[in-house]
Amino acid sequence: DIVHEAARTFARKVVRHRRQWGAEFDELVIPILGDIATGTEIYETQKTEIESLLARQIKDGAQALTTIVTTLREHFDAVRVYAVVGNHGFQSASAARGSNTDLACYFWMEDALRREGYDDVEVTIGEHSHHLNFEIRGWRCHIRHGQDSQSQVDETARSQADWRGWRDKHKFDLAIRGHHHVPSLHWVLNRYPVVTLPSPKPGGEFADRIGDPDASAPADHVTERKLGYCFGVSEDRRITDSRMTDAG
């Protein structure tokens, strides 16, 4: 129930943000950063605490993603989707990168888009890596799940070294990551923005044990739970107007 309502709310608010910005948008780019299905073997007691078994997780996750894409395609002339896998989809620590339930969600979503007649939606899936590179308005964009990075981007020497290394390798102008749940905007070398996206779902028992029961909102303010981050990209600016979207 939570995921489907979050998907509908997020799509509806993106449409509202577009109208409020009053700018011309020739396309919409949707990065999907993994951990769509939570798996069953990420921590020792997970299989006794999950509400949905793996097949249901994949079904609900794929349906939620399809809802977001199809809703937004009705309001934008063109839609591109870029999807990378997260770490929760693995069923063992030694699993190959391609053995991830996020991929099942993405393939199911892509099949649903084709069946429903959305053949013009461009979908790119990173099957064997946790990152993808692509261009938006002439800027090179780098997306990654983020489990291989610290929560900080530029606050410590170690995190600075990580992100400067990725900037040197991927030559990105703009980066977007997930995994860490707490939304933020930081800068590599005081020049290249790194956007960290929120988690649209409340934290569970595992999150509570590690001291982060719900990173996206206070427990008594459910409507403040952050669902996603929206921003514009122009030929002249990596990030134009931006909005944090919540559940309220």
Side-chain angles (χ1 to χ4, degrees), residues 200-248:
K201 68 174 289 294
E205 180 65 24
F206 176 68
D208 187 77
R209 285 206 302 273
I210 64 174
D212 202 4
D214 191 355
S216 63
D220 57 342
H221 290 80
V222 177
T223 57
E224 294 181 13
R225 189 174 70 249
K226 307 300 186 294
L227 300 181
Y229 194 62
C230 310
F231 58 89
V233 178
S234 71
E235 288 89 346
D236 301 321
R237 296 173 58 187
R238 298 173 176 88
I239 296 180
T240 63
D241 295 317
S242 59
R243 298 282 179 91
M244 182 60 65
T245 301
D246 61 28

mmCIF file of all heavy atoms in Angstrom, residues 200-248:
data_model
loop_
_atom_site.group_PDB
_atom_site.id
_atom_site.type_symbol
_atom_site.label_atom_id
_atom_site.label_comp_id
_atom_site.label_asym_id
_atom_site.label_seq_id
_atom_site.Cartn_x
_atom_site.Cartn_y
_atom_site.Cartn_z
ATOM 1 N N PRO A 200 11.972 6.419 -0.401
ATOM 2 C CA PRO A 200 10.544 6.721 -0.330
ATOM 3 C C PRO A 200 9.761 5.832 0.630
ATOM 4 O O PRO A 200 8.577 6.019 0.811
ATOM 5 C CB PRO A 200 10.069 6.502 -1.765
ATOM 6 C CG PRO A 200 11.000 5.472 -2.299
ATOM 7 C CD PRO A 200 12.330 5.737 -1.653
ATOM 8 N N LYS A 201 10.418 4.854 1.246
ATOM 9 C CA LYS A 201 9.719 3.964 2.172
ATOM 10 C C LYS A 201 10.210 4.186 3.598
ATOM 11 O O LYS A 201 11.358 4.566 3.824
ATOM 12 C CB LYS A 201 9.925 2.495 1.795
ATOM 13 C CG LYS A 201 11.356 2.003 1.981
ATOM 14 C CD LYS A 201 11.470 0.520 1.723
ATOM 15 C CE LYS A 201 10.822 -0.306 2.806
ATOM 16 N NZ LYS A 201 11.507 -0.192 4.116
ATOM 17 N N PRO A 202 9.357 3.940 4.592
ATOM 18 C CA PRO A 202 9.782 4.031 5.984
ATOM 19 C C PRO A 202 10.819 2.964 6.306
ATOM 20 O O PRO A 202 10.841 1.896 5.688
ATOM 21 C CB PRO A 202 8.490 3.792 6.775
ATOM 22 C CG PRO A 202 7.380 3.989 5.808
ATOM 23 C CD PRO A 202 7.932 3.621 4.454
ATOM 24 N N GLY A 203 11.669 3.254 7.269
ATOM 25 C CA GLY A 203 12.651 2.268 7.688
ATOM 26 C C GLY A 203 11.995 1.121 8.442
ATOM 27 O O GLY A 203 10.953 1.282 9.057
ATOM 28 N N GLY A 204 12.625 -0.046 8.412
ATOM 29 C CA GLY A 204 12.091 -1.218 9.089
ATOM 30 C C GLY A 204 12.919 -1.596 10.299
ATOM 31 O O GLY A 204 13.667 -0.787 10.846
ATOM 32 N N GLU A 205 12.831 -2.873 10.691
ATOM 33 C CA GLU A 205 13.508 -3.340 11.889
ATOM 34 C C GLU A 205 15.020 -3.224 11.761
ATOM 35 O O GLU A 205 15.700 -2.822 12.693
ATOM 36 C CB GLU A 205 13.109 -4.793 12.153
ATOM 37 C CG GLU A 205 13.749 -5.403 13.401
ATOM 38 C CD GLU A 205 13.285 -4.726 14.684
ATOM 39 O OE1 GLU A 205 12.188 -4.128 14.682
ATOM 40 O OE2 GLU A 205 14.032 -4.786 15.679
ATOM 41 N N PHE A 206 15.565 -3.566 10.588
ATOM 42 C CA PHE A 206 17.001 -3.484 10.393
ATOM 43 C C PHE A 206 17.484 -2.045 10.512
ATOM 44 O O PHE A 206 18.488 -1.756 11.159
ATOM 45 C CB PHE A 206 17.380 -4.061 9.033
ATOM 46 C CG PHE A 206 18.844 -3.936 8.708
ATOM 47 C CD1 PHE A 206 19.789 -4.650 9.416
ATOM 48 C CD2 PHE A 206 19.274 -3.103 7.687
ATOM 49 C CE1 PHE A 206 21.141 -4.542 9.120
ATOM 50 C CE2 PHE A 206 20.619 -2.985 7.379
ATOM 51 C CZ PHE A 206 21.552 -3.708 8.101
ATOM 52 N N ALA A 207 16.764 -1.115 9.885
ATOM 53 C CA ALA A 207 17.138 0.302 9.971
ATOM 54 C C ALA A 207 17.096 0.794 11.407
ATOM 55 O O ALA A 207 17.926 1.605 11.828
ATOM 56 C CB ALA A 207 16.209 1.132 9.095
ATOM 57 N N ASP A 208 16.123 0.294 12.176
ATOM 58 C CA ASP A 208 16.025 0.694 13.579
ATOM 59 C C ASP A 208 17.246 0.213 14.364
ATOM 60 O O ASP A 208 17.769 0.928 15.221
ATOM 61 C CB ASP A 208 14.742 0.125 14.182
ATOM 62 C CG ASP A 208 14.498 0.636 15.587
ATOM 63 O OD1 ASP A 208 14.063 1.789 15.727
ATOM 64 O OD2 ASP A 208 14.751 -0.114 16.549
ATOM 65 N N ARG A 209 17.707 -1.001 14.067
ATOM 66 C CA ARG A 209 18.835 -1.556 14.809
ATOM 67 C C ARG A 209 20.128 -0.802 14.542
ATOM 68 O O ARG A 209 21.007 -0.753 15.401
ATOM 69 C CB ARG A 209 19.018 -3.041 14.469
ATOM 70 C CG ARG A 209 17.986 -3.941 15.107
ATOM 71 C CD ARG A 209 18.540 -5.356 15.287
ATOM 72 N NE ARG A 209 18.957 -5.953 14.037
ATOM 73 C CZ ARG A 209 18.154 -6.630 13.226
ATOM 74 N NH1 ARG A 209 16.873 -6.773 13.548
ATOM 75 N NH2 ARG A 209 18.605 -7.162 12.116
ATOM 76 N N ILE A 210 20.272 -0.232 13.348
ATOM 77 C CA ILE A 210 21.495 0.511 13.056
ATOM 78 C C ILE A 210 21.343 1.995 13.373
ATOM 79 O O ILE A 210 22.173 2.818 13.001
ATOM 80 C CB ILE A 210 21.932 0.315 11.592
ATOM 81 C CG1 ILE A 210 20.894 0.889 10.620
ATOM 82 C CG2 ILE A 210 22.199 -1.146 11.299
ATOM 83 C CD1 ILE A 210 21.346 0.846 9.159
ATOM 84 N N GLY A 211 20.256 2.348 14.076
ATOM 85 C CA GLY A 211 20.084 3.706 14.563
ATOM 86 C C GLY A 211 19.548 4.683 13.558
ATOM 87 O O GLY A 211 19.682 5.895 13.719
ATOM 88 N N ASP A 212 18.921 4.181 12.489
ATOM 89 C CA ASP A 212 18.386 5.061 11.445
ATOM 90 C C ASP A 212 16.997 4.575 11.050
ATOM 91 O O ASP A 212 16.768 4.167 9.916
ATOM 92 C CB ASP A 212 19.319 5.033 10.230
ATOM 93 C CG ASP A 212 19.161 6.261 9.358
ATOM 94 O OD1 ASP A 212 18.378 7.154 9.748
ATOM 95 O OD2 ASP A 212 19.810 6.330 8.305
ATOM 96 N N PRO A 213 16.034 4.606 11.992
ATOM 97 C CA PRO A 213 14.737 3.957 11.749
ATOM 98 C C PRO A 213 13.958 4.537 10.590
ATOM 99 O O PRO A 213 13.226 3.834 9.929
ATOM 100 C CB PRO A 213 13.997 4.155 13.063
ATOM 101 C CG PRO A 213 14.661 5.322 13.711
ATOM 102 C CD PRO A 213 16.097 5.240 13.309
ATOM 103 N N ASP A 214 14.087 5.816 10.336
ATOM 104 C CA ASP A 214 13.459 6.402 9.158
ATOM 105 C C ASP A 214 14.200 7.673 8.807
ATOM 106 O O ASP A 214 13.954 8.733 9.377
ATOM 107 C CB ASP A 214 11.977 6.691 9.387
ATOM 108 C CG ASP A 214 11.281 7.057 8.081
ATOM 109 O OD1 ASP A 214 11.954 7.177 7.057
ATOM 110 O OD2 ASP A 214 10.067 7.221 8.098
ATOM 111 N N ALA A 215 15.104 7.547 7.873
ATOM 112 C CA ALA A 215 15.981 8.664 7.550
ATOM 113 C C ALA A 215 15.281 9.787 6.827
ATOM 114 O O ALA A 215 15.778 10.895 6.760
ATOM 115 C CB ALA A 215 17.149 8.163 6.707
ATOM 116 N N SER A 216 14.091 9.514 6.291
ATOM 117 C CA SER A 216 13.484 10.498 5.405
ATOM 118 C C SER A 216 12.495 11.424 6.088
ATOM 119 O O SER A 216 12.064 12.397 5.498
ATOM 120 C CB SER A 216 12.785 9.781 4.243
ATOM 121 O OG SER A 216 11.745 8.969 4.725
ATOM 122 N N ALA A 217 12.081 11.145 7.334
ATOM 123 C CA ALA A 217 11.120 12.014 8.016
ATOM 124 C C ALA A 217 10.993 11.616 9.484
ATOM 125 O O ALA A 217 11.234 10.466 9.839
ATOM 126 C CB ALA A 217 9.742 11.931 7.359
ATOM 127 N N PRO A 218 10.603 12.547 10.348
ATOM 128 C CA PRO A 218 10.318 12.178 11.735
ATOM 129 C C PRO A 218 9.184 11.154 11.787
ATOM 130 O O PRO A 218 8.275 11.168 10.953
ATOM 131 C CB PRO A 218 9.885 13.508 12.373
ATOM 132 C CG PRO A 218 10.420 14.568 11.466
ATOM 133 C CD PRO A 218 10.424 13.979 10.098
ATOM 134 N N ALA A 219 9.233 10.265 12.765
ATOM 135 C CA ALA A 219 8.254 9.185 12.845
ATOM 136 C C ALA A 219 6.830 9.700 13.000
ATOM 137 O O ALA A 219 5.876 9.054 12.568
ATOM 138 C CB ALA A 219 8.604 8.260 14.011
ATOM 139 N N ASP A 220 6.658 10.866 13.633
ATOM 140 C CA ASP A 220 5.316 11.380 13.872
ATOM 141 C C ASP A 220 4.858 12.364 12.796
ATOM 142 O O ASP A 220 3.829 13.016 12.933
ATOM 143 C CB ASP A 220 5.242 12.055 15.245
ATOM 144 C CG ASP A 220 6.254 13.167 15.408
ATOM 145 O OD1 ASP A 220 7.219 13.198 14.620
ATOM 146 O OD2 ASP A 220 6.092 13.988 16.316
ATOM 147 N N HIS A 221 5.612 12.471 11.700
ATOM 148 C CA HIS A 221 5.226 13.352 10.598
ATOM 149 C C HIS A 221 5.348 12.585 9.282
ATOM 150 O O HIS A 221 6.246 12.830 8.480
ATOM 151 C CB HIS A 221 6.104 14.610 10.558
ATOM 152 C CG HIS A 221 5.856 15.542 11.697
ATOM 153 N ND1 HIS A 221 6.391 15.357 12.947
ATOM 154 C CD2 HIS A 221 5.099 16.671 11.776
ATOM 155 C CE1 HIS A 221 5.998 16.342 13.749
ATOM 156 N NE2 HIS A 221 5.217 17.146 13.068
ATOM 157 N N VAL A 222 4.423 11.657 9.070
ATOM 158 C CA VAL A 222 4.502 10.765 7.911
ATOM 159 C C VAL A 222 4.446 11.538 6.597
ATOM 160 O O VAL A 222 5.109 11.182 5.622
ATOM 161 C CB VAL A 222 3.362 9.728 7.976
ATOM 162 C CG1 VAL A 222 3.386 8.835 6.739
ATOM 163 C CG2 VAL A 222 3.493 8.887 9.234
ATOM 164 N N THR A 223 3.666 12.617 6.565
ATOM 165 C CA THR A 223 3.529 13.363 5.309
ATOM 166 C C THR A 223 4.820 14.065 4.917
ATOM 167 O O THR A 223 4.948 14.501 3.771
ATOM 168 C CB THR A 223 2.406 14.409 5.416
ATOM 169 O OG1 THR A 223 2.679 15.290 6.509
ATOM 170 C CG2 THR A 223 1.058 13.727 5.634
ATOM 171 N N GLU A 224 5.768 14.185 5.829
ATOM 172 C CA GLU A 224 7.045 14.808 5.506
ATOM 173 C C GLU A 224 8.045 13.805 4.922
ATOM 174 O O GLU A 224 9.165 14.174 4.575
ATOM 175 C CB GLU A 224 7.649 15.455 6.751
ATOM 176 C CG GLU A 224 6.841 16.626 7.282
ATOM 177 C CD GLU A 224 7.481 17.258 8.503
ATOM 178 O OE1 GLU A 224 8.667 16.945 8.783
ATOM 179 O OE2 GLU A 224 6.821 18.049 9.180
ATOM 180 N N ARG A 225 7.663 12.537 4.831
ATOM 181 C CA ARG A 225 8.567 11.537 4.276
ATOM 182 C C ARG A 225 8.939 11.911 2.846
ATOM 183 O O ARG A 225 8.083 12.127 2.006
ATOM 184 C CB ARG A 225 7.920 10.153 4.315
ATOM 185 C CG ARG A 225 8.891 9.023 3.946
ATOM 186 C CD ARG A 225 8.264 7.653 4.127
ATOM 187 N NE ARG A 225 7.228 7.410 3.135
ATOM 188 C CZ ARG A 225 5.939 7.338 3.392
ATOM 189 N NH1 ARG A 225 5.502 7.502 4.627
ATOM 190 N NH2 ARG A 225 5.070 7.090 2.433
ATOM 191 N N LYS A 226 10.219 11.975 2.570
ATOM 192 C CA LYS A 226 10.699 12.404 1.255
ATOM 193 C C LYS A 226 10.557 11.262 0.253
ATOM 194 O O LYS A 226 10.930 10.134 0.523
ATOM 195 C CB LYS A 226 12.154 12.853 1.348
ATOM 196 C CG LYS A 226 12.425 13.905 2.431
ATOM 197 C CD LYS A 226 11.626 15.161 2.207
ATOM 198 C CE LYS A 226 11.996 16.252 3.200
ATOM 199 N NZ LYS A 226 11.644 15.922 4.595
ATOM 200 N N LEU A 227 10.024 11.589 -0.918
ATOM 201 C CA LEU A 227 9.793 10.581 -1.954
ATOM 202 C C LEU A 227 10.797 10.655 -3.090
ATOM 203 O O LEU A 227 11.145 9.639 -3.682
ATOM 204 C CB LEU A 227 8.382 10.737 -2.536
ATOM 205 C CG LEU A 227 7.217 10.588 -1.565
ATOM 206 C CD1 LEU A 227 5.896 10.743 -2.313
ATOM 207 C CD2 LEU A 227 7.278 9.245 -0.851
ATOM 208 N N GLY A 228 11.240 11.842 -3.441
ATOM 209 C CA GLY A 228 12.144 11.974 -4.578
ATOM 210 C C GLY A 228 12.590 13.401 -4.764
ATOM 211 O O GLY A 228 12.109 14.318 -4.080
ATOM 212 N N TYR A 229 13.508 13.594 -5.679
ATOM 213 C CA TYR A 229 14.110 14.899 -5.919
ATOM 214 C C TYR A 229 13.939 15.242 -7.391
ATOM 215 O O TYR A 229 14.211 14.422 -8.263
ATOM 216 C CB TYR A 229 15.600 14.827 -5.553
ATOM 217 C CG TYR A 229 16.302 16.152 -5.428
ATOM 218 C CD1 TYR A 229 15.898 17.077 -4.467
ATOM 219 C CD2 TYR A 229 17.378 16.469 -6.237
ATOM 220 C CE1 TYR A 229 16.554 18.287 -4.339
ATOM 221 C CE2 TYR A 229 18.053 17.681 -6.103
ATOM 222 C CZ TYR A 229 17.629 18.580 -5.153
ATOM 223 O OH TYR A 229 18.284 19.775 -5.026
ATOM 224 N N CYS A 230 13.465 16.433 -7.679
ATOM 225 C CA CYS A 230 13.237 16.873 -9.065
ATOM 226 C C CYS A 230 14.070 18.124 -9.330
ATOM 227 O O CYS A 230 14.084 19.034 -8.502
ATOM 228 C CB CYS A 230 11.764 17.212 -9.299
ATOM 229 S SG CYS A 230 10.609 15.956 -8.757
ATOM 230 N N PHE A 231 14.740 18.151 -10.454
ATOM 231 C CA PHE A 231 15.471 19.371 -10.820
ATOM 232 C C PHE A 231 15.573 19.473 -12.336
ATOM 233 O O PHE A 231 15.447 18.484 -13.062
ATOM 234 C CB PHE A 231 16.859 19.411 -10.181
ATOM 235 C CG PHE A 231 17.756 18.255 -10.519
ATOM 236 C CD1 PHE A 231 18.571 18.300 -11.636
ATOM 237 C CD2 PHE A 231 17.792 17.139 -9.706
ATOM 238 C CE1 PHE A 231 19.403 17.236 -11.943
ATOM 239 C CE2 PHE A 231 18.611 16.075 -9.997
ATOM 240 C CZ PHE A 231 19.426 16.120 -11.118
ATOM 241 N N GLY A 232 15.790 20.685 -12.793
ATOM 242 C CA GLY A 232 15.941 20.928 -14.216
ATOM 243 C C GLY A 232 17.394 20.931 -14.628
ATOM 244 O O GLY A 232 18.288 21.134 -13.805
ATOM 245 N N VAL A 233 17.630 20.673 -15.918
ATOM 246 C CA VAL A 233 18.970 20.753 -16.501
ATOM 247 C C VAL A 233 18.853 21.540 -17.798
ATOM 248 O O VAL A 233 17.999 21.234 -18.635
ATOM 249 C CB VAL A 233 19.548 19.353 -16.800
ATOM 250 C CG1 VAL A 233 20.918 19.470 -17.453
ATOM 251 C CG2 VAL A 233 19.636 18.521 -15.525
ATOM 252 N N SER A 234 19.688 22.549 -17.956
ATOM 253 C CA SER A 234 19.673 23.343 -19.186
ATOM 254 C C SER A 234 21.041 23.283 -19.853
ATOM 255 O O SER A 234 21.984 22.712 -19.296
ATOM 256 C CB SER A 234 19.314 24.801 -18.869
ATOM 257 O OG SER A 234 20.383 25.436 -18.182
ATOM 258 N N GLU A 235 21.156 23.886 -21.040
ATOM 259 C CA GLU A 235 22.453 23.903 -21.718
ATOM 260 C C GLU A 235 23.497 24.666 -20.926
ATOM 261 O O GLU A 235 24.695 24.386 -21.021
ATOM 262 C CB GLU A 235 22.326 24.539 -23.112
ATOM 263 C CG GLU A 235 21.595 23.688 -24.134
ATOM 264 C CD GLU A 235 20.096 23.953 -24.118
ATOM 265 O OE1 GLU A 235 19.609 24.587 -23.155
ATOM 266 O OE2 GLU A 235 19.419 23.522 -25.070
ATOM 267 N N ASP A 236 23.061 25.617 -20.108
ATOM 268 C CA ASP A 236 23.992 26.492 -19.403
ATOM 269 C C ASP A 236 24.238 26.090 -17.954
ATOM 270 O O ASP A 236 25.238 26.492 -17.367
ATOM 271 C CB ASP A 236 23.468 27.932 -19.422
ATOM 272 C CG ASP A 236 23.275 28.461 -20.831
ATOM 273 O OD1 ASP A 236 24.125 28.148 -21.688
ATOM 274 O OD2 ASP A 236 22.274 29.148 -21.080
ATOM 275 N N ARG A 237 23.297 25.301 -17.372
ATOM 276 C CA ARG A 237 23.408 24.982 -15.948
ATOM 277 C C ARG A 237 23.168 23.507 -15.712
ATOM 278 O O ARG A 237 22.224 22.916 -16.246
ATOM 279 C CB ARG A 237 22.392 25.808 -15.143
ATOM 280 C CG ARG A 237 22.639 27.304 -15.201
ATOM 281 C CD ARG A 237 21.506 28.061 -14.538
ATOM 282 N NE ARG A 237 21.320 27.679 -13.145
ATOM 283 C CZ ARG A 237 20.307 28.098 -12.380
ATOM 284 N NH1 ARG A 237 19.380 28.888 -12.916
ATOM 285 N NH2 ARG A 237 20.213 27.726 -11.133
ATOM 286 N N ARG A 238 24.031 22.922 -14.859
ATOM 287 C CA ARG A 238 23.855 21.511 -14.509
ATOM 288 C C ARG A 238 22.561 21.287 -13.738
ATOM 289 O O ARG A 238 21.892 20.272 -13.926
ATOM 290 C CB ARG A 238 25.035 21.033 -13.664
ATOM 291 C CG ARG A 238 26.391 21.095 -14.357
ATOM 292 C CD ARG A 238 27.479 20.762 -13.355
ATOM 293 N NE ARG A 238 28.798 20.723 -13.977
ATOM 294 C CZ ARG A 238 29.593 21.766 -14.113
ATOM 295 N NH1 ARG A 238 29.198 22.952 -13.681
ATOM 296 N NH2 ARG A 238 30.773 21.647 -14.691
ATOM 297 N N ILE A 239 22.231 22.184 -12.828
ATOM 298 C CA ILE A 239 21.000 22.100 -12.042
ATOM 299 C C ILE A 239 20.332 23.462 -12.052
ATOM 300 O O ILE A 239 20.941 24.461 -11.654
ATOM 301 C CB ILE A 239 21.275 21.673 -10.587
ATOM 302 C CG1 ILE A 239 21.852 20.245 -10.550
ATOM 303 C CG2 ILE A 239 19.995 21.723 -9.763
ATOM 304 C CD1 ILE A 239 22.138 19.758 -9.135
ATOM 305 N N THR A 240 19.091 23.493 -12.525
ATOM 306 C CA THR A 240 18.322 24.739 -12.445
ATOM 307 C C THR A 240 17.417 24.645 -11.216
ATOM 308 O O THR A 240 17.837 24.202 -10.166
ATOM 309 C CB THR A 240 17.513 24.949 -13.738
ATOM 310 O OG1 THR A 240 16.562 23.889 -13.892
ATOM 311 C CG2 THR A 240 18.434 24.959 -14.946
ATOM 312 N N ASP A 241 16.165 25.035 -11.338
ATOM 313 C CA ASP A 241 15.253 24.949 -10.196
ATOM 314 C C ASP A 241 15.134 23.503 -9.725
ATOM 315 O O ASP A 241 15.137 22.562 -10.520
ATOM 316 C CB ASP A 241 13.862 25.455 -10.593
ATOM 317 C CG ASP A 241 13.894 26.937 -10.934
ATOM 318 O OD1 ASP A 241 14.558 27.686 -10.199
ATOM 319 O OD2 ASP A 241 13.267 27.319 -11.943
ATOM 320 N N SER A 242 15.002 23.320 -8.397
ATOM 321 C CA SER A 242 14.909 21.975 -7.848
ATOM 322 C C SER A 242 13.825 21.943 -6.769
ATOM 323 O O SER A 242 13.532 22.943 -6.124
ATOM 324 C CB SER A 242 16.240 21.534 -7.250
ATOM 325 O OG SER A 242 16.658 22.416 -6.213
ATOM 326 N N ARG A 243 13.224 20.775 -6.617
ATOM 327 C CA ARG A 243 12.174 20.569 -5.613
ATOM 328 C C ARG A 243 12.367 19.204 -4.953
ATOM 329 O O ARG A 243 12.594 18.212 -5.631
ATOM 330 C CB ARG A 243 10.790 20.593 -6.273
ATOM 331 C CG ARG A 243 10.423 21.910 -6.944
ATOM 332 C CD ARG A 243 9.982 22.944 -5.944
ATOM 333 N NE ARG A 243 9.665 24.203 -6.601
ATOM 334 C CZ ARG A 243 8.440 24.519 -7.035
ATOM 335 N NH1 ARG A 243 7.442 23.657 -6.891
ATOM 336 N NH2 ARG A 243 8.208 25.676 -7.627
ATOM 337 N N MET A 244 12.267 19.180 -3.621
ATOM 338 C CA MET A 244 12.209 17.931 -2.896
ATOM 339 C C MET A 244 10.745 17.546 -2.737
ATOM 340 O O MET A 244 9.928 18.347 -2.283
ATOM 341 C CB MET A 244 12.867 18.048 -1.523
ATOM 342 C CG MET A 244 12.876 16.754 -0.723
ATOM 343 S SD MET A 244 13.752 15.424 -1.564
ATOM 344 C CE MET A 244 15.423 16.097 -1.578
ATOM 345 N N THR A 245 10.381 16.353 -3.166
ATOM 346 C CA THR A 245 8.984 15.907 -3.157
ATOM 347 C C THR A 245 8.725 15.034 -1.943
ATOM 348 O O THR A 245 9.472 14.079 -1.688
ATOM 349 C CB THR A 245 8.688 15.107 -4.441
ATOM 350 O OG1 THR A 245 8.933 15.938 -5.566
ATOM 351 C CG2 THR A 245 7.259 14.634 -4.457
ATOM 352 N N ASP A 246 7.665 15.369 -1.171
ATOM 353 C CA ASP A 246 7.344 14.577 0.003
ATOM 354 C C ASP A 246 6.009 13.879 -0.165
ATOM 355 O O ASP A 246 5.344 14.005 -1.189
ATOM 356 C CB ASP A 246 7.384 15.427 1.282
ATOM 357 C CG ASP A 246 6.376 16.559 1.270
ATOM 358 O OD1 ASP A 246 5.315 16.426 0.595
ATOM 359 O OD2 ASP A 246 6.601 17.575 1.945
ATOM 360 N N ALA A 247 5.596 13.142 0.854
ATOM 361 C CA ALA A 247 4.407 12.312 0.774
ATOM 362 C C ALA A 247 3.133 13.077 1.106
ATOM 363 O O ALA A 247 2.026 12.524 1.019
ATOM 364 C CB ALA A 247 4.526 11.109 1.715
ATOM 365 N N GLY A 248 3.226 14.332 1.487
ATOM 366 C CA GLY A 248 2.058 15.097 1.905
ATOM 367 C C GLY A 248 1.311 15.741 0.761
ATOM 368 O O GLY A 248 1.797 15.809 -0.349
#
